[in-house]
Coordinates of all heavy atoms in Angstrom, one line a residue:
M6 N 21.9 -10.5 3.1 CA 21.5 -9.2 3.8 C 20.0 -9.1 3.7 O 19.5 -8.9 2.7 CB 22.3 -8.1 3.2 CG 22.0 -6.7 3.9 SD 23.1 -5.5 3.3 CE 22.0 -4.1 3.0
S7 N 19.4 -9.1 4.8 CA 17.9 -8.9 4.8 C 17.7 -7.5 5.1 O 18.1 -6.9 6.1 CB 17.2 -9.8 5.8 OG 17.5 -9.4 7.1
E8 N 17.0 -6.8 4.3 CA 16.7 -5.4 4.5 C 15.2 -5.2 4.2 O 14.6 -5.6 3.2 CB 17.5 -4.6 3.5 CG 17.3 -3.1 3.7 CD 18.3 -2.2 2.9 OE1 19.4 -2.0 3.4 OE2 17.9 -1.9 1.8
V9 N 14.6 -4.4 5.1 CA 13.2 -4.1 4.9 C 13.0 -3.1 3.7 O 13.9 -2.2 3.6 CB 12.6 -3.4 6.2 CG1 11.2 -2.8 6.0 CG2 12.6 -4.5 7.3
Q10 N 12.0 -3.2 2.9 CA 11.8 -2.3 1.9 C 10.4 -1.7 2.0 O 9.4 -2.3 2.2 CB 11.9 -3.0 0.5 CG 13.2 -3.6 0.2 CD 13.4 -4.1 -1.2 OE1 12.4 -4.3 -1.9 NE2 14.6 -4.4 -1.6
W11 N 10.4 -0.3 1.9 CA 9.2 0.4 1.9 C 9.1 1.0 0.5 O 10.0 1.0 -0.3 CB 9.2 1.5 2.9 CG 9.1 1.1 4.4 CD1 8.8 -0.2 4.8 CD2 9.3 1.9 5.5 NE1 8.8 -0.2 6.2 CE2 9.1 1.0 6.6 CE3 9.6 3.2 5.7 CZ2 9.2 1.5 8.0 CZ3 9.8 3.7 7.0 CH2 9.5 2.8 8.1
F12 N 7.9 1.5 0.2 CA 7.6 2.1 -1.1 C 6.9 3.4 -1.0 O 6.1 3.6 -0.1 CB 6.8 1.1 -1.9 CG 7.4 -0.2 -2.2 CD1 7.3 -1.2 -1.4 CD2 8.3 -0.3 -3.3 CE1 8.0 -2.4 -1.6 CE2 8.9 -1.5 -3.6 CZ 8.8 -2.6 -2.7
C13 N 7.3 4.3 -1.8 CA 6.5 5.6 -1.9 C 6.2 5.8 -3.4 O 7.0 5.4 -4.3 CB 7.2 6.7 -1.3 SG 8.8 7.1 -2.1
R14 N 5.2 6.5 -3.7 CA 4.8 6.7 -5.1 C 5.5 7.8 -5.8 O 5.6 7.8 -7.0 CB 3.2 7.0 -5.1 CG 2.4 5.7 -5.2 CD 1.0 5.9 -5.0 NE 0.8 6.3 -3.6 CZ -0.5 6.5 -3.1 NH1 -1.5 6.4 -3.8 NH2 -0.6 6.9 -1.8
N15 N 6.0 8.8 -5.1 CA 6.6 9.9 -5.7 C 7.4 10.7 -4.7 O 7.4 10.4 -3.5 CB 5.5 10.8 -6.4 CG 4.4 11.1 -5.4 OD1 4.6 11.5 -4.2 ND2 3.1 11.0 -5.8
A16 N 8.0 11.8 -5.2 CA 8.9 12.6 -4.3 C 8.1 13.3 -3.2 O 8.6 13.4 -2.1 CB 9.6 13.6 -5.1
E17 N 6.8 13.6 -3.5 CA 6.0 14.3 -2.5 C 5.7 13.3 -1.3 O 5.8 13.7 -0.1 CB 4.7 14.8 -3.0 CG 4.9 16.0 -3.9 CD 5.5 15.7 -5.3 OE1 5.3 14.5 -5.7 OE2 6.1 16.5 -5.9
E18 N 5.5 12.1 -1.7 CA 5.2 11.1 -0.7 C 6.4 10.8 0.2 O 6.3 10.6 1.4 CB 4.7 9.8 -1.3 CG 3.9 8.9 -0.4 CD 3.1 7.9 -1.2 OE1 2.2 8.2 -1.9 OE2 3.4 6.7 -1.0
W19 N 7.6 10.8 -0.5 CA 8.8 10.6 0.2 C 9.1 11.7 1.2 O 9.4 11.5 2.4 CB 10.0 10.4 -0.7 CG 11.3 10.7 -0.1 CD1 12.1 11.8 -0.3 CD2 11.9 9.9 1.0 NE1 13.2 11.7 0.5 CE2 13.1 10.6 1.3 CE3 11.6 8.8 1.7 CZ2 14.0 10.1 2.3 CZ3 12.4 8.3 2.7 CH2 13.6 9.0 3.0
D20 N 8.8 13.0 0.7 CA 9.0 14.1 1.6 C 8.1 14.0 2.8 O 8.6 14.3 3.9 CB 8.7 15.4 0.8 CG 9.8 15.8 -0.1 OD1 10.9 15.3 0.0 OD2 9.5 16.6 -1.1
A21 N 6.9 13.6 2.6 CA 5.9 13.5 3.8 C 6.4 12.4 4.7 O 6.4 12.6 5.9 CB 4.5 13.2 3.2
M22 N 6.9 11.3 4.2 CA 7.4 10.2 5.0 C 8.7 10.7 5.7 O 8.8 10.4 6.9 CB 7.7 9.0 4.1 CG 8.1 7.8 4.9 SD 8.6 6.4 3.8 CE 7.0 5.9 3.1
A23 N 9.5 11.4 5.1 CA 10.8 11.8 5.7 C 10.5 12.8 6.9 O 11.2 12.7 7.9 CB 11.7 12.5 4.6
E24 N 9.5 13.6 6.7 CA 9.1 14.5 7.8 C 8.6 13.8 9.0 O 8.7 14.3 10.1 CB 8.1 15.6 7.3 CG 8.7 16.6 6.4 CD 7.7 17.7 6.0 OE1 6.7 17.7 6.6 OE2 8.1 18.4 5.1
R25 N 8.0 12.6 8.8 CA 7.4 11.9 9.8 C 8.3 10.8 10.4 O 7.9 10.0 11.2 CB 6.0 11.3 9.4 CG 4.9 12.3 9.2 CD 3.6 11.7 8.8 NE 3.9 10.9 7.6 CZ 3.5 9.7 7.4 NH1 2.9 9.0 8.3 NH2 3.8 9.1 6.3
L26 N 9.5 10.7 9.9 CA 10.4 9.6 10.2 C 10.5 9.4 11.7 O 10.6 8.3 12.3 CB 11.8 9.7 9.6 CG 12.0 9.3 8.2 CD1 13.4 9.5 7.7 CD2 11.6 7.8 8.0
K27 N 10.6 10.6 12.4 CA 10.8 10.5 13.9 C 9.6 9.9 14.6 O 9.6 9.7 15.8 CB 11.1 11.9 14.4 CG 12.5 12.4 14.0 CD 13.6 11.8 14.8 CE 14.9 12.4 14.5 NZ 15.5 12.1 13.3
L28 N 8.5 9.8 13.9 CA 7.2 9.3 14.5 C 6.9 7.8 14.1 O 6.0 7.2 14.5 CB 6.0 10.2 14.1 CG 6.2 11.7 14.4 CD1 5.0 12.4 13.8 CD2 6.2 11.9 15.8
I29 N 7.8 7.3 13.1 CA 7.5 6.0 12.6 C 8.4 5.0 13.3 O 9.6 5.2 13.4 CB 7.8 6.0 11.1 CG1 6.9 7.0 10.4 CG2 7.6 4.6 10.5 CD1 7.2 7.2 8.9
P30 N 7.9 3.9 13.8 CA 8.7 2.9 14.5 C 9.6 2.2 13.5 O 9.2 1.9 12.3 CB 7.7 1.9 15.0 CG 6.3 2.3 14.7 CD 6.4 3.5 13.8
C31 N 10.8 1.9 13.9 CA 11.8 1.2 13.1 C 11.2 -0.2 12.8 O 10.7 -0.9 13.7 CB 13.1 1.0 13.8 SG 14.2 -0.1 13.0
P32 N 11.2 -0.7 11.5 CA 10.6 -2.0 11.2 C 11.5 -3.1 11.8 O 11.0 -4.3 11.9 CB 10.6 -2.0 9.7 CG 11.6 -1.0 9.3 CD 11.6 0.0 10.4
H33 N 12.7 -2.9 12.2 CA 13.6 -3.9 12.7 C 13.4 -4.0 14.2 O 13.1 -5.1 14.7 CB 15.0 -3.6 12.4 CG 15.3 -3.5 10.9 ND1 15.2 -4.6 10.1 CD2 15.8 -2.5 10.2 CE1 15.6 -4.2 8.9 NE2 15.9 -3.0 8.9
C34 N 13.6 -2.9 14.9 CA 13.6 -3.0 16.4 C 12.4 -2.3 17.0 O 12.3 -2.3 18.3 CB 14.9 -2.3 16.9 SG 15.0 -0.5 16.5
K35 N 11.5 -1.7 16.2 CA 10.2 -1.1 16.7 C 10.4 0.1 17.6 O 9.5 0.5 18.2 CB 9.4 -2.2 17.5 CG 9.3 -3.5 16.8 CD 8.6 -3.4 15.4 CE 8.5 -4.8 14.9 NZ 8.2 -4.8 13.4
V36 N 11.6 0.6 17.6 CA 11.8 1.8 18.4 C 11.4 3.1 17.6 O 11.7 3.1 16.4 CB 13.3 2.0 18.8 CG1 13.6 3.3 19.5 CG2 13.7 0.8 19.7
V37 N 10.7 4.0 18.2 CA 10.3 5.2 17.6 C 11.3 6.3 17.8 O 11.8 6.5 19.0 CB 8.9 5.6 18.1 CG1 8.4 6.9 17.5 CG2 7.9 4.5 17.8
G38 N 11.6 7.1 16.8 CA 12.4 8.3 17.0 C 13.8 8.1 16.6 O 14.6 9.0 16.8
T39 N 14.2 7.0 16.1 CA 15.6 6.7 15.7 C 15.9 6.8 14.2 O 17.0 6.8 13.8 CB 16.0 5.3 16.2 OG1 15.2 4.4 15.6 CG2 16.0 5.2 17.7
L40 N 14.8 6.9 13.4 CA 15.1 6.8 11.9 C 15.5 8.1 11.4 O 15.0 9.2 11.8 CB 13.8 6.4 11.2 CG 13.2 5.0 11.6 CD1 12.0 4.7 10.8 CD2 14.3 3.9 11.4
N41 N 16.5 8.0 10.5 CA 17.1 9.2 9.9 C 17.3 9.0 8.4 O 17.5 7.8 8.0 CB 18.5 9.5 10.4 CG 18.5 10.0 11.9 OD1 18.0 11.1 12.1 ND2 19.0 9.2 12.8
R42 N 17.2 10.0 7.6 CA 17.5 9.9 6.2 C 19.0 9.6 6.1 O 19.9 10.1 6.8 CB 17.2 11.2 5.5 CG 15.8 11.3 5.1 CD 15.5 12.7 4.5 NE 15.2 13.6 5.5 CZ 14.6 14.8 5.3 NH1 14.4 15.2 4.1 NH2 14.3 15.6 6.3
H43 N 19.3 8.7 5.1 CA 20.6 8.2 5.0 C 21.1 8.1 3.6 O 21.9 7.3 3.2 CB 20.6 6.8 5.6 CG 22.0 6.2 5.9 ND1 22.9 6.9 6.7 CD2 22.5 5.0 5.6 CE1 24.0 6.1 6.8 NE2 23.8 5.0 6.2
G44 N 20.7 9.1 2.8 CA 21.1 9.2 1.4 C 20.3 8.4 0.4 O 19.2 8.0 0.7
C45 N 20.8 8.2 -0.8 CA 20.0 7.7 -1.9 C 20.7 6.5 -2.6 O 21.9 6.4 -2.5 CB 19.7 8.8 -2.9 SG 18.8 10.2 -2.3
L46 N 19.9 5.7 -3.2 CA 20.5 4.7 -4.1 C 20.2 5.1 -5.5 O 19.1 5.4 -5.9 CB 19.8 3.3 -3.9 CG 20.1 2.5 -2.6 CD1 19.2 1.3 -2.6 CD2 21.6 2.2 -2.6
Y47 N 21.3 5.1 -6.3 CA 21.1 5.5 -7.7 C 21.1 4.4 -8.7 O 21.7 3.4 -8.5 CB 22.2 6.5 -8.1 CG 22.1 7.8 -7.3 CD1 22.9 8.0 -6.1 CD2 21.3 8.8 -7.8 CE1 22.8 9.2 -5.4 CE2 21.2 10.0 -7.1 CZ 21.9 10.2 -5.9 OH 21.8 11.4 -5.2
G48 N 20.4 4.6 -9.8 CA 20.4 3.6 -10.8 C 20.3 4.3 -12.1 O 20.2 5.5 -12.2
Y49 N 20.3 3.5 -13.2 CA 20.2 4.1 -14.5 C 18.8 4.0 -15.1 O 18.1 3.0 -15.0 CB 21.2 3.5 -15.5 CG 22.6 3.9 -15.2 CD1 23.4 3.1 -14.4 CD2 23.1 5.1 -15.6 CE1 24.7 3.4 -14.1 CE2 24.4 5.5 -15.3 CZ 25.2 4.7 -14.5 OH 26.5 5.1 -14.2
D50 N 18.3 5.1 -15.7 CA 17.0 5.1 -16.3 C 17.0 4.1 -17.4 O 17.9 4.0 -18.2 CB 16.8 6.5 -16.9 CG 15.4 6.7 -17.4 OD1 15.0 6.1 -18.3 OD2 14.7 7.6 -16.8
E51 N 15.9 3.4 -17.5 CA 15.8 2.3 -18.5 C 15.8 2.8 -20.0 O 16.3 2.1 -20.9 CB 14.5 1.5 -18.3 CG 14.4 1.0 -16.9 CD 14.1 -0.5 -16.9 OE1 13.5 -1.0 -17.9 OE2 14.4 -1.2 -15.9
N52 N 15.3 4.0 -20.2 CA 15.2 4.6 -21.5 C 16.4 5.4 -21.9 O 16.6 5.8 -23.0 CB 14.0 5.4 -21.7 CG 12.7 4.5 -21.5 OD1 12.7 3.4 -22.0 ND2 11.7 5.1 -20.9
N53 N 17.2 5.8 -20.9 CA 18.3 6.7 -21.1 C 19.4 6.3 -20.2 O 19.5 6.7 -19.0 CB 17.9 8.1 -20.9 CG 19.1 9.1 -21.2 OD1 20.2 8.7 -21.5 ND2 18.8 10.4 -21.1
R54 N 20.3 5.4 -20.6 CA 21.3 4.8 -19.7 C 22.4 5.7 -19.3 O 23.2 5.4 -18.4 CB 21.8 3.5 -20.3 CG 20.7 2.4 -20.5 CD 21.2 1.1 -20.9 NE 20.1 0.2 -21.0 CZ 19.5 -0.5 -19.9 NH1 20.1 -0.3 -18.7 NH2 18.5 -1.2 -20.1
K55 N 22.4 6.9 -19.9 CA 23.4 7.9 -19.4 C 22.8 8.7 -18.3 O 23.6 9.4 -17.6 CB 23.8 8.8 -20.6 CG 24.6 8.1 -21.6 CD 24.9 9.0 -22.8 CE 25.6 8.2 -23.9 NZ 25.4 8.9 -25.2
Q56 N 21.5 8.5 -18.1 CA 20.9 9.4 -17.1 C 20.7 8.6 -15.8 O 20.1 7.6 -15.7 CB 19.5 9.7 -17.6 CG 18.6 10.5 -16.6 CD 18.9 12.0 -16.7 OE1 19.1 12.6 -17.7 NE2 19.0 12.6 -15.5
K57 N 21.4 9.1 -14.7 CA 21.2 8.5 -13.4 C 20.0 9.0 -12.7 O 19.7 10.2 -12.7 CB 22.5 8.8 -12.6 CG 23.5 7.6 -12.6 CD 24.5 7.8 -11.5 CE 25.3 6.6 -11.3 NZ 26.3 6.7 -10.2
T58 N 19.2 8.1 -12.1 CA 18.1 8.5 -11.4 C 18.1 7.9 -10.0 O 18.8 6.9 -9.7 CB 16.8 8.0 -12.1 OG1 16.8 6.6 -12.1 CG2 16.6 8.6 -13.5
V59 N 17.4 8.6 -9.1 CA 17.3 8.0 -7.7 C 16.3 6.9 -7.7 O 15.1 7.0 -8.1 CB 16.8 9.1 -6.8 CG1 16.5 8.6 -5.4 CG2 17.8 10.3 -6.7
R60 N 16.8 5.7 -7.4 CA 15.9 4.5 -7.3 C 15.3 4.3 -6.0 O 14.2 3.8 -5.9 CB 16.8 3.3 -7.7 CG 17.5 3.3 -9.0 CD 16.5 3.3 -10.2 NE 15.7 2.1 -10.2 CZ 14.8 1.8 -11.1 NH1 14.5 2.7 -12.0 NH2 14.1 0.7 -11.1
A61 N 16.0 4.7 -5.0 CA 15.5 4.5 -3.6 C 16.2 5.4 -2.6 O 17.3 5.9 -2.9 CB 15.7 3.0 -3.2
R62 N 15.5 5.7 -1.6 CA 16.0 6.5 -0.5 C 16.4 5.5 0.6 O 15.7 4.6 0.9 CB 15.0 7.5 0.1 CG 15.1 8.8 -0.7 CD 14.3 8.8 -1.9 NE 14.1 10.1 -2.5 CZ 13.4 10.4 -3.6 NH1 12.7 9.5 -4.2 NH2 13.3 11.6 -4.0
R63 N 17.5 5.8 1.3 CA 17.9 5.0 2.4 C 17.6 5.6 3.7 O 17.7 6.9 3.9 CB 19.5 4.8 2.4 CG 20.0 4.5 1.0 CD 20.3 3.1 0.7 NE 21.1 2.4 1.8 CZ 21.0 1.1 2.0 NH1 20.3 0.4 1.2 NH2 21.7 0.6 2.9
V64 N 17.1 4.8 4.7 CA 16.8 5.3 6.0 C 17.6 4.5 7.0 O 17.8 3.2 6.8 CB 15.3 5.1 6.3 CG1 15.0 5.5 7.7 CG2 14.5 6.0 5.3
F65 N 18.2 5.1 8.0 CA 19.1 4.5 8.9 C 18.5 4.6 10.3 O 18.0 5.7 10.7 CB 20.4 5.3 8.9 CG 21.4 4.9 9.9 CD1 21.9 3.6 10.0 CD2 21.9 5.8 10.9 CE1 22.9 3.2 11.0 CE2 22.8 5.4 11.8 CZ 23.3 4.1 11.9
C66 N 18.5 3.5 11.0 CA 18.0 3.5 12.4 C 19.2 3.8 13.3 O 20.1 2.9 13.5 CB 17.4 2.1 12.7 SG 16.8 2.0 14.4
S67 N 19.3 5.0 13.9 CA 20.5 5.4 14.5 C 20.7 4.7 15.9 O 19.9 4.7 16.7 CB 20.4 6.9 14.7 OG 21.6 7.4 15.4
N68 N 22.0 4.2 16.0 CA 22.4 3.7 17.3 C 23.6 4.5 17.8 O 24.3 4.1 18.7 CB 22.7 2.2 17.2 CG 23.8 1.9 16.2 OD1 24.3 2.8 15.5 ND2 24.2 0.7 16.1
R69 N 23.8 5.7 17.2 CA 24.9 6.5 17.6 C 24.4 7.6 18.6 O 23.2 7.8 18.8 CB 25.4 7.3 16.4 CG 26.0 6.3 15.4 CD 26.4 7.0 14.1 NE 26.7 6.0 13.1 CZ 26.7 6.3 11.8 NH1 26.4 7.5 11.3 NH2 27.0 5.4 10.9
N70 N 25.4 8.1 19.3 CA 25.1 9.2 20.3 C 24.0 8.7 21.3 O 23.1 9.5 21.6 CB 24.7 10.5 19.6 CG 25.7 10.9 18.6 OD1 26.9 10.9 18.9 ND2 25.3 11.4 17.4
A71 N 24.2 7.5 21.8 CA 23.3 7.0 22.8 C 21.8 6.8 22.4 O 20.9 6.7 23.1 CB 23.3 7.8 24.1
R72 N 21.7 6.8 21.0 CA 20.3 6.5 20.5 C 20.0 5.0 20.7 O 20.9 4.2 20.6 CB 20.3 6.8 19.0 CG 20.5 8.3 18.7 CD 19.1 9.0 18.8 NE 19.2 10.3 18.2 CZ 18.1 11.0 17.9 NH1 16.9 10.5 18.1 NH2 18.2 12.2 17.4
P73 N 18.7 4.7 20.9 CA 18.4 3.4 21.2 C 18.1 2.5 20.0 O 17.6 1.4 20.1 CB 17.1 3.5 22.0 CG 16.4 4.8 21.5 CD 17.6 5.7 21.1
G74 N 18.5 3.0 18.8 CA 18.2 2.3 17.6 C 19.1 1.1 17.4 O 19.9 0.8 18.2
C75 N 18.8 0.4 16.3 CA 19.5 -0.9 16.0 C 20.7 -0.8 15.0 O 21.4 -1.7 14.8 CB 18.5 -2.0 15.5 SG 17.7 -1.5 14.0
G76 N 20.8 0.4 14.4 CA 21.9 0.6 13.5 C 21.7 0.0 12.1 O 22.6 -0.1 11.3
R77 N 20.5 -0.5 11.8 CA 20.2 -1.1 10.5 C 19.6 -0.1 9.6 O 19.2 1.0 10.0 CB 19.3 -2.3 10.7 CG 20.0 -3.4 11.5 CD 19.0 -4.5 11.9 NE 18.7 -5.4 10.8 CZ 18.0 -6.5 10.9 NH1 17.4 -6.8 12.0 NH2 17.8 -7.2 9.8
T78 N 19.5 -0.5 8.3 CA 19.0 0.4 7.3 C 17.8 -0.2 6.7 O 17.5 -1.4 6.7 CB 20.0 0.7 6.3 OG1 20.4 -0.5 5.7 CG2 21.2 1.4 6.8
L79 N 17.0 0.6 6.0 CA 15.9 0.2 5.1 C 15.9 1.0 3.9 O 16.5 2.1 3.9 CB 14.6 0.2 5.8 CG 14.1 1.5 6.4 CD1 12.7 1.8 5.8 CD2 14.0 1.4 7.9
S80 N 15.3 0.6 2.9 CA 15.2 1.3 1.6 C 13.8 1.7 1.3 O 12.8 0.9 1.6 CB 15.7 0.4 0.4 OG 17.0 0.0 0.7
V81 N 13.6 2.9 0.9 CA 12.3 3.4 0.4 C 12.3 3.5 -1.1 O 13.0 4.4 -1.6 CB 11.9 4.7 1.1 CG1 10.5 5.1 0.7 CG2 12.0 4.6 2.6
W82 N 11.6 2.7 -1.8 CA 11.7 2.6 -3.2 C 10.7 3.5 -3.9 O 9.5 3.5 -3.5 CB 11.5 1.2 -3.7 CG 12.7 0.3 -3.4 CD1 12.8 -0.4 -2.2 CD2 13.9 0.1 -4.1 NE1 14.1 -1.0 -2.2 CE2 14.7 -0.7 -3.4 CE3 14.3 0.6 -5.4 CZ2 16.0 -1.1 -3.8 CZ3 15.6 0.2 -5.8 CH2 16.4 -0.6 -5.0
A83 N 11.1 4.3 -4.9 CA 10.2 5.1 -5.6 C 10.2 4.6 -7.1 O 11.2 4.5 -7.7 CB 10.7 6.6 -5.6
P84 N 9.0 4.3 -7.6 CA 8.9 3.9 -9.0 C 9.3 5.0 -9.9 O 9.0 6.2 -9.6 CB 7.4 3.5 -9.2 CG 6.7 4.3 -8.1 CD 7.7 4.5 -7.0
T85 N 9.9 4.7 -11.0 CA 10.2 5.7 -12.0 C 9.3 5.6 -13.2 O 8.8 4.5 -13.4 CB 11.7 5.6 -12.5 OG1 11.8 4.3 -13.0 CG2 12.7 5.8 -11.4
K86 N 9.0 6.6 -13.9 CA 8.1 6.6 -15.0 C 8.5 5.6 -16.1 O 7.7 5.1 -16.8 CB 7.9 8.0 -15.5 CG 7.0 8.8 -14.6 CD 7.0 10.3 -15.1 CE 6.2 11.1 -14.1 NZ 6.5 12.5 -14.3
S87 N 9.8 5.4 -16.2 CA 10.3 4.6 -17.3 C 10.3 3.1 -17.1 O 10.6 2.3 -18.0 CB 11.7 5.1 -17.6 OG 12.5 4.8 -16.5
D88 N 10.0 2.6 -15.8 CA 10.2 1.2 -15.6 C 9.0 0.4 -16.0 O 9.0 -0.8 -16.0 CB 10.6 0.9 -14.2 CG 9.5 1.2 -13.2 OD1 8.4 1.4 -13.6 OD2 9.8 1.1 -12.0
G89 N 7.9 1.0 -16.4 CA 6.8 0.3 -17.0 C 5.9 -0.5 -16.0 O 4.9 -1.1 -16.4
S90 N 6.3 -0.5 -14.7 CA 5.6 -1.4 -13.8 C 4.5 -0.6 -13.0 O 3.7 -1.2 -12.3 CB 6.6 -2.0 -12.8 OG 7.2 -1.1 -12.1
A91 N 4.5 0.7 -13.1 CA 3.6 1.5 -12.3 C 2.2 1.4 -12.9 O 2.0 1.2 -14.1 CB 4.0 2.9 -12.3
Ligands
LIG14 ZN1 15.9 -0.1 14.5

């Protein structure tokens, strides 16, 4: 499964991106106006394995309701403070 991955630095950046989704071309089909928020991917915090954290947000290119999208998804990854790679 090939999936495009985007990155954001924090929740504020994701919020800004989410608000502009309708203005951003789909990376798969290049159509503008079809991207929708599609939930989150969860993972476990490296330092606290009982704590679930949001690892990435999912974005869906809508092909429903006569939308011209491609129906594919992409992930927007947000670094967590505990993963040490930031
Ligand atoms: Zn698309």
Side-chain angles (χ1 to χ4, degrees):
M6 179 169 135
S7 69
E8 184 172 271
V9 171
Q10 295 188 347
W11 287 351
F12 296 89
C13 63
R14 273 169 291 184
N15 50 47
E17 288 75 24
E18 201 164 298
W19 160 247
D20 285 341
M22 188 183 286
E24 285 184 13
R25 288 181 304 131
L26 276 180
K27 290 285 190 283
L28 305 174
I29 300 173
C31 171
H33 299 296
C34 64
K35 315 298 183 196
V36 174
V37 177
T39 56
L40 298 180
N41 287 296
R42 275 177 273 193
H43 195 51
C45 299
L46 287 178
Y47 293 95
Y49 288 97
D50 191 297
E51 304 229 337
N52 296 324
N53 180 358
R54 294 188 179 278
K55 291 174 187 162
Q56 177 84 40
K57 261 192 169 184
T58 59
V59 175
R60 303 293 297 177
R62 273 82 170 185
R63 316 256 315 152
V64 174
F65 173 63
C66 180
S67 180
N68 59 355
R69 296 172 190 161
N70 303 319
R72 294 276 192 166
C75 60
R77 296 171 76 178
T78 57
L79 59 125
S80 301
V81 184
W82 291 88
T85 58
K86 284 174 185 160
S87 60
D88 70 10
S90 62

